[in-house]
Amino acid sequence: MTTTFTIEQATGRSAQEREALLAAPGFGTIFSDHMSRIDWTADGGWHDHRVVGYAPFALDPASAVFHYAQEAFEGLKAYAHADGSVWRFRADVNAERFQRSCRRLGLPELPVEDFLASVDELVTLDQAWVPRGEEQSLYLRPFMFARTAALAVKPSTQVTYAVIASPSGAYFGGSGVVPVDIWFTRSYSRSAPGGTGFAKCGGNYAASMVAQQEAEANGCSQVGFVDATEHQWVEELGGMNLFAVSADGELVTPQLSETILEGVTRGAVLTLVEDAGLSVTERRVSLDELYEGIDSGHFTELFACGTAAVITPVASLKDEDGQHVVSGREPGATTLALRQQLTDIQYGLAEDRHGWMHRIV
Ligand code: COI
């Protein structure tokens, strides 16, 4: 049974200020007027379900999250439809993945109903912050962190869960579909067997930062990782999953393992591919196979997918030894068709055949 959230309405910004911010939202830099919050203690369980004004947290400098990174998060979006209604996409899948992540991090599991209610209450209160521009959405960031103030390395007995909302445009900036260059590193690993790769936790992203710096220094907007043992099997990008499409229309994507995050968009893509009657294989894919396939013309399209990235064509793969340009950097027909099908469902322009959308407002 869902617990009732207390709503503490904040003054917030004026309609004029809000509209100015919404004019060019970018990705993840502006935030709505409120946030959801629930606290947890080992003795008292989940309590104080509320929506309050967006504000900084007052945290003890000894809070465990600062020292031992005991934290997990999610990313999902709410979409405005032409009739003014607002919908979320597959949030139940995010809620279940959040539980898996928290379990791995020694954090308490938030009931799925509370996760969904925390999103719905916030979006309902801040519905004026859902942007209405083309391919814009309200990016929602649920997260949980350890706040016990003690330096012993032990699971925290005090935890805070919160959701913030960020009106957003394209993750990679620019307008339209802009293909991106990916830098593949074999020197830095994101995760290893037995580690936290399958969990959505800050530590995995922290481990990707230096490699992301290297990617940017080499003119790429995103880093790609191979496995930490043999340094040859493609896993995922810094914040998204990867697919390759062959000239004869077959798709391939790295099979899930304990070192790969199970993307919610990745799952939707697999379904859309089947709907389209195309064939897709989840299997081990080596970086050399991708390089050779691109160079020989076997792989004519590559794309990245994720909540933030949606479906973004890949222009090239690059490393210290050179660059492998995919089909003259032109986005491929399969990539664009899948992207269109996905966004049409999300924005209410196509039938929601799989029951992925849920109306909030
Ligand atoms: C998301 O797609 O929601 C993520 O959390 C990935 C990050 C690149 C923003």
Side-chain angles (χ1 to χ4, degrees):
M1 201 186 69
T2 311
T3 315
T4 306
F5 278 66
T6 305
I7 311 290
E8 285 175 30
Q9 183 123 23
T11 309
R13 280 146 294 178
S14 67
Q16 206 182 4
E17 280 176 284
R18 187 178 62 239
E19 291 315 316
L21 290 169
L22 289 179
F27 179 84
T29 54
I30 60 173
F31 300 95
S32 70
D33 284 331
H34 295 88
M35 59 194 218
S36 293
R37 180 168 171 177
I38 315 175
D39 292 308
W40 178 90
T41 57
D43 294 339
W46 292 109
H47 58 88
D48 288 344
H49 300 58
R50 58 207 188 274
V51 183
V52 294
Y54 184 97
F57 293 113
L59 285 178
D60 193 299
S63 295
V65 65
F66 295 137
H67 307 276
Y68 307 126
Q70 198 191 358
E71 183 271 355
F73 71 97
E74 269 303 324
L76 66 156
K77 285 174 172 173
Y79 304 83
H81 289 188
D83 64 359
S85 57
V86 178
W87 300 67
R88 54 171 155 81
F89 174 76
R90 306 195 75 197
D92 50 332
V93 182
N94 290 95
E96 283 161 13
R97 185 175 67 181
F98 192 51
Q99 290 189 328
R100 292 197 295 280
S101 299
C102 289
R103 215 154 44 229
R104 176 62 183 84
L105 271 292
L107 289 163
E109 285 175 45
L110 183 72
V112 168
E113 309 76 56
D114 284 349
F115 181 99
L116 298 177
S118 68
V119 164
D120 291 352
E121 296 287 358
L122 176 60
V123 174
T124 302
L125 193 58
D126 279 349
Q127 55 187 274
W129 287 91
V130 183
R132 313 257 152 188
E134 204 179 328
E135 302 224 352
Q136 294 179 345
S137 56
L138 188 66
Y139 183 81
L140 297 155
R141 175 51 67 87
F143 59 106
M144 191 190 297
F145 59 90
R147 54 186 307 163
T148 296
L151 298 184
V153 183
K154 287 183 181 180
S156 190
T157 55
Q158 284 176 280
V159 158
T160 287
Y161 164 78
V163 190
I164 54 174
S166 179
S168 293
Y171 183 75
F172 289 110
S175 63
V177 184
V178 185
V180 293
D181 298 290
I182 310 292
W183 173 259
F184 259 94
T185 172
R186 293 197 206 235
S187 21
Y188 296 113
S189 297
R190 174 187 162 276
S191 72
T196 55
F198 71 89
K200 198 162 176 70
C201 63
N204 293 341
Y205 294 78
S208 80
M209 294 301 176
V210 66
Q212 177 67 24
Q213 274 175 339
E214 200 179 87
E216 288 172 20
N218 284 281
C220 295
S221 34
Q222 180 73 185
V223 64
F225 291 98
V226 289
D227 73 291
T229 313
E230 296 176 62
H231 304 287
Q232 61 160 323
W233 304 107
V234 175
E235 297 208 315
E236 61 179 275
L237 310 183
M240 45 212 77
N241 297 112
L242 185 67
F243 282 76
V245 188
S246 69
D248 51 12
E250 297 211 342
L251 286 90
V252 62
T253 191
Q255 74 190 36
L256 293 177
S257 71
E258 59 178 333
T259 55
I260 297 182
L261 184 77
E262 183 172 356
V264 177
T265 309
R266 176 188 183 279
V269 166
L270 290 174
T271 303
L272 292 176
V273 167
E274 277 176 27
D275 286 355
L278 297 171
S279 104
V280 56
T281 314
E282 298 173 75
R283 61 167 170 85
R284 295 213 297 180
V285 184
S286 75
L287 191 51
D288 288 339
E289 179 188 346
L290 281 189
Y291 287 165
E292 284 160 24
I294 293 168
D295 295 345
S296 71
H298 173 70
F299 288 130
T300 49
E301 304 179 35
L302 261 69
F303 62 85
C305 67
T307 297
V310 192
I311 291 178
T312 299
V314 170
S316 75
L317 304 185
K318 200 172 174 188
D319 66 14
E320 286 99 349
D321 297 326
Q323 188 168 20
H324 306 264
V325 176
V326 187
S327 297
R329 309 180 66 84
E330 284 300 314
T334 303
T335 303
L336 293 179
L338 288 169
R339 183 185 162 91
Q340 194 67 50
Q341 284 159 27
L342 178 67
T343 54
D344 279 355
I345 293 172
Q346 291 169 332
Y347 289 94
L349 302 172
E351 188 196 345
D352 175 23
R353 292 184 302 277
H354 301 285
W356 288 337
M357 306 302 293
H358 176 90
R359 184 172 178 169
I360 303 176
V361 179

